[in-house]
Amino acid sequence: MLAVTLLLPAATARAGEAEKVLKLGVYAYEHGDYAEAITSLTGVLSPLRLTAEEDVVQARKYLGASLFFSGKKDEAAEELTRLLLLNPDVRLDAFVFPPQLVLFFDEVKASIRDQLEKARAQKLLKETMRIADRRVELRSRYVNLIPFGAPQFQNGDRVKGWVLLGTGAALLALNVASYWAAWSHAGADGYYAT
Protein backbone atom coordinates (compact mmCIF):
# COMPACT_ATOMS: atom_id res chain seq x y z
CA MET A 1 0.00 0.00 0.00
CA LEU A 2 2.86 2.36 0.85
CA ALA A 3 4.48 1.70 -2.54
CA VAL A 4 1.22 2.61 -4.32
CA THR A 5 0.94 5.78 -2.24
CA LEU A 6 4.51 6.76 -3.12
CA LEU A 7 4.24 5.88 -6.84
CA LEU A 8 0.87 7.58 -7.47
CA PRO A 9 2.19 11.19 -7.32
CA ALA A 10 5.11 10.23 -9.59
CA ALA A 11 2.74 8.69 -12.16
CA THR A 12 0.47 11.73 -11.99
CA ALA A 13 3.46 14.03 -12.43
CA ARG A 14 4.62 12.04 -15.49
CA ALA A 15 1.13 12.24 -17.01
CA GLY A 16 1.03 15.99 -16.40
CA GLU A 17 4.51 16.31 -17.89
CA ALA A 18 3.43 14.39 -21.01
CA GLU A 19 0.43 16.70 -21.45
CA LYS A 20 2.76 19.72 -21.26
CA VAL A 21 5.02 18.19 -23.93
CA LEU A 22 1.92 17.56 -26.07
CA LYS A 23 0.94 21.22 -25.76
CA LEU A 24 4.46 22.28 -26.67
CA GLY A 25 4.35 20.04 -29.75
CA VAL A 26 1.02 21.53 -30.86
CA TYR A 27 2.38 25.04 -30.22
CA ALA A 28 5.50 24.26 -32.30
CA TYR A 29 3.33 22.98 -35.18
CA GLU A 30 1.12 26.07 -35.05
CA HIS A 31 4.21 28.27 -35.31
CA GLY A 32 5.72 26.33 -38.22
CA ASP A 33 8.52 24.67 -36.23
CA TYR A 34 7.80 21.19 -37.59
CA ALA A 35 11.11 19.67 -36.45
CA GLU A 36 10.41 20.65 -32.83
CA ALA A 37 6.81 19.44 -33.15
CA ILE A 38 7.99 16.06 -34.47
CA THR A 39 10.49 15.72 -31.62
CA SER A 40 7.97 16.66 -28.91
CA LEU A 41 5.09 14.60 -30.26
CA THR A 42 7.23 11.54 -30.95
CA GLY A 43 8.48 11.82 -27.37
CA VAL A 44 4.98 11.41 -25.93
CA LEU A 45 3.89 8.72 -28.41
CA SER A 46 6.93 6.45 -28.47
CA PRO A 47 6.87 5.12 -25.79
CA LEU A 48 3.28 6.10 -25.10
CA ARG A 49 3.21 8.48 -22.15
CA LEU A 50 -0.28 9.95 -22.64
CA THR A 51 -3.14 8.45 -20.66
CA ALA A 52 -6.26 9.91 -22.30
CA GLU A 53 -7.32 8.62 -25.72
CA GLU A 54 -8.25 12.14 -26.89
CA ASP A 55 -4.69 13.29 -26.10
CA VAL A 56 -3.27 10.41 -28.15
CA VAL A 57 -5.59 11.31 -31.04
CA GLN A 58 -4.50 14.95 -30.88
CA ALA A 59 -0.81 14.02 -30.75
CA ARG A 60 -1.13 11.70 -33.75
CA LYS A 61 -3.00 14.37 -35.76
CA TYR A 62 -0.35 17.00 -35.17
CA LEU A 63 2.53 14.57 -35.65
CA GLY A 64 1.07 13.47 -38.98
CA ALA A 65 0.62 17.11 -40.00
CA SER A 66 4.18 18.01 -38.97
CA LEU A 67 5.59 15.08 -40.91
CA PHE A 68 3.52 16.04 -43.96
CA PHE A 69 4.74 19.64 -43.95
CA SER A 70 8.32 18.47 -43.37
CA GLY A 71 8.14 16.62 -46.69
CA LYS A 72 8.04 13.17 -45.08
CA LYS A 73 4.82 12.04 -46.73
CA ASP A 74 5.39 8.30 -46.29
CA GLU A 75 5.93 8.73 -42.55
CA ALA A 76 2.94 11.10 -42.41
CA ALA A 77 0.78 8.45 -44.12
CA GLU A 78 1.93 5.85 -41.56
CA GLU A 79 1.13 8.18 -38.66
CA LEU A 80 -2.29 9.09 -40.06
CA THR A 81 -2.97 5.38 -40.58
CA ARG A 82 -2.19 4.77 -36.89
CA LEU A 83 -4.55 7.63 -36.03
CA LEU A 84 -7.36 6.20 -38.15
CA LEU A 85 -6.92 2.69 -36.74
CA LEU A 86 -7.10 4.15 -33.23
CA ASN A 87 -10.23 6.15 -34.04
CA PRO A 88 -11.75 5.22 -37.43
CA ASP A 89 -14.24 8.09 -37.38
CA VAL A 90 -11.74 10.88 -36.71
CA ARG A 91 -11.69 13.86 -39.07
CA LEU A 92 -9.32 16.71 -39.66
CA ASP A 93 -10.95 20.07 -39.11
CA ALA A 94 -10.57 22.19 -42.25
CA PHE A 95 -10.52 25.32 -40.07
CA VAL A 96 -7.45 24.06 -38.20
CA PHE A 97 -5.53 22.16 -40.90
CA PRO A 98 -4.75 23.39 -44.44
CA PRO A 99 -6.71 21.91 -47.36
CA GLN A 100 -3.73 20.03 -48.84
CA LEU A 101 -3.34 18.12 -45.56
CA VAL A 102 -7.07 17.37 -45.37
CA LEU A 103 -6.96 16.01 -48.95
CA PHE A 104 -3.90 13.88 -48.10
CA PHE A 105 -5.71 12.60 -45.00
CA ASP A 106 -8.76 11.67 -47.09
CA GLU A 107 -6.49 9.78 -49.55
CA VAL A 108 -4.92 7.83 -46.68
CA LYS A 109 -8.39 7.09 -45.32
CA ALA A 110 -9.58 5.83 -48.72
CA SER A 111 -6.50 3.61 -49.11
CA ILE A 112 -7.18 1.73 -45.87
CA ARG A 113 -10.96 1.51 -46.11
CA ASP A 114 -11.06 -2.26 -45.40
CA GLN A 115 -8.86 -1.92 -42.31
CA LEU A 116 -11.09 0.92 -41.07
CA GLU A 117 -14.19 -1.25 -41.31
CA LYS A 118 -12.48 -3.91 -39.19
CA ALA A 119 -11.31 -1.26 -36.70
CA ARG A 120 -14.87 0.14 -36.46
CA ALA A 121 -16.24 -3.34 -35.84
CA GLN A 122 -13.67 -3.97 -33.09
CA LYS A 123 -14.41 -0.61 -31.47
CA LEU A 124 -18.14 -1.33 -31.59
CA LEU A 125 -17.54 -4.76 -30.07
CA LYS A 126 -15.49 -3.23 -27.22
CA GLU A 127 -18.22 -0.68 -26.51
CA THR A 128 -20.87 -3.39 -26.58
CA MET A 129 -18.84 -5.53 -24.18
CA ARG A 130 -18.38 -2.55 -21.84
CA ILE A 131 -22.13 -1.90 -21.87
CA ALA A 132 -22.85 -5.60 -21.31
CA ASP A 133 -20.56 -5.58 -18.27
CA ARG A 134 -22.72 -3.00 -16.55
CA ARG A 135 -25.12 -4.49 -14.05
CA VAL A 136 -28.69 -3.24 -14.13
CA GLU A 137 -31.02 -3.89 -11.23
CA LEU A 138 -34.73 -3.50 -11.63
CA ARG A 139 -36.41 -2.27 -8.50
CA SER A 140 -40.00 -1.60 -7.67
CA ARG A 141 -40.98 2.03 -7.97
CA TYR A 142 -43.73 1.52 -5.40
CA VAL A 143 -41.13 1.22 -2.65
CA ASN A 144 -40.67 4.98 -3.08
CA LEU A 145 -44.11 5.44 -1.54
CA ILE A 146 -43.17 3.68 1.71
CA PRO A 147 -41.98 6.02 4.48
CA PHE A 148 -39.21 5.49 7.02
CA GLY A 149 -36.32 5.24 4.55
CA ALA A 150 -37.47 2.12 2.70
CA PRO A 151 -36.26 3.46 -0.71
CA GLN A 152 -32.81 4.18 0.75
CA PHE A 153 -32.54 0.64 2.09
CA GLN A 154 -33.58 -0.67 -1.35
CA ASN A 155 -30.81 1.41 -2.99
CA GLY A 156 -28.24 0.17 -0.51
CA ASP A 157 -27.85 3.54 1.28
CA ARG A 158 -28.05 2.09 4.77
CA VAL A 159 -26.90 5.22 6.62
CA LYS A 160 -29.52 7.40 4.95
CA GLY A 161 -32.11 4.69 5.51
CA TRP A 162 -31.38 4.50 9.26
CA VAL A 163 -31.38 8.31 9.58
CA LEU A 164 -34.76 8.56 7.86
CA LEU A 165 -36.12 5.59 9.81
CA GLY A 166 -34.98 7.08 13.12
CA THR A 167 -36.24 10.56 12.27
CA GLY A 168 -39.58 9.23 11.01
CA ALA A 169 -40.03 7.01 14.08
CA ALA A 170 -39.17 9.90 16.44
CA LEU A 171 -41.63 12.23 14.71
CA LEU A 172 -44.33 9.52 14.76
CA ALA A 173 -43.74 8.97 18.49
CA LEU A 174 -43.93 12.75 19.08
CA ASN A 175 -47.19 12.90 17.10
CA VAL A 176 -48.74 10.01 19.08
CA ALA A 177 -47.55 11.50 22.39
CA SER A 178 -48.99 14.91 21.48
CA TYR A 179 -52.31 13.36 20.49
CA TRP A 180 -52.42 11.33 23.73
CA ALA A 181 -51.55 14.43 25.83
CA ALA A 182 -54.25 16.49 24.12
CA TRP A 183 -56.81 13.68 24.43
CA SER A 184 -56.02 13.17 28.14
CA HIS A 185 -56.83 16.85 28.92
CA ALA A 186 -60.19 16.71 27.24
CA GLY A 187 -63.31 16.33 29.35
CA ALA A 188 -65.80 13.44 29.22
CA ASP A 189 -67.80 15.33 26.63
CA GLY A 190 -64.69 15.69 24.39
CA TYR A 191 -64.35 19.42 24.99
CA TYR A 192 -61.52 21.19 26.75
CA ALA A 193 -62.19 23.18 29.89
CA THR A 194 -61.10 26.80 29.79
Side-chain angles (χ1 to χ4, degrees):
M1 183 67 176
L2 179 61
V4 171
T5 306
L6 293 174
L7 292 176
L8 187 60
T12 306
R14 282 193 298 268
E17 201 176 290
E19 289 170 2
K20 286 180 186 175
V21 174
L22 169 62
K23 288 179 184 176
L24 288 172
V26 171
Y27 180 82
Y29 166 81
E30 290 171 346
H31 288 84
D33 190 356
Y34 303 125
E36 178 61 32
I38 292 169
T39 303
S40 297
L41 296 170
T42 303
V44 294
L45 289 171
S46 182
L48 184 62
R49 295 176 23 205
L50 298 168
T51 54
E53 183 178 332
E54 56 270 5
D55 289 343
V56 176
V57 167
Q58 183 183 24
R60 292 210 181 278
K61 276 183 190 179
Y62 282 94
L63 179 56
S66 299
L67 290 165
F68 178 80
F69 289 113
S70 294
K72 302 174 182 177
K73 293 190 178 184
D74 291 338
E75 292 177 43
E78 288 176 21
E79 192 57 43
L80 294 174
T81 299
R82 286 188 199 105
L83 168 65
L84 285 164
L85 293 176
L86 174 66
N87 187 345
D89 298 316
V90 72
R91 294 179 166 204
L92 290 186
D93 189 352
F95 290 111
V96 176
F97 297 101
Q100 63 267 32
L101 177 63
V102 175
L103 289 173
F104 180 74
F105 178 76
D106 289 341
E107 289 171 9
V108 170
K109 196 172 191 176
S111 71
I112 60 166
R113 182 162 288 145
D114 293 338
Q115 291 176 340
L116 288 179
E117 291 305 319
K118 289 178 185 175
R120 272 191 196 96
Q122 288 176 344
K123 189 173 183 181
L124 182 63
L125 181 63
K126 283 181 187 177
E127 289 174 8
T128 305
M129 295 297 280
R130 190 173 57 233
I131 290 170
D133 284 345
R134 281 194 273 169
R135 186 174 156 204
V136 178
E137 290 183 30
L138 296 177
R139 297 181 177 154
S140 173
R141 72 181 93 169
Y142 300 111
V143 174
N144 292 331
L145 303 174
I146 301 172
F148 304 113
Q152 282 68 28
F153 285 114
Q154 181 183 14
N155 291 337
D157 294 329
R158 294 204 165 300
V159 173
K160 289 180 185 176
W162 284 111
V163 167
L164 288 172
L165 177 63
T167 304
L171 290 174
L172 178 64
L174 180 64
N175 190 10
V176 170
S178 298
Y179 179 78
W180 179 79
W183 182 77
S184 66
H185 290 344
D189 58 356
Y191 293 102
Y192 295 97
T194 54

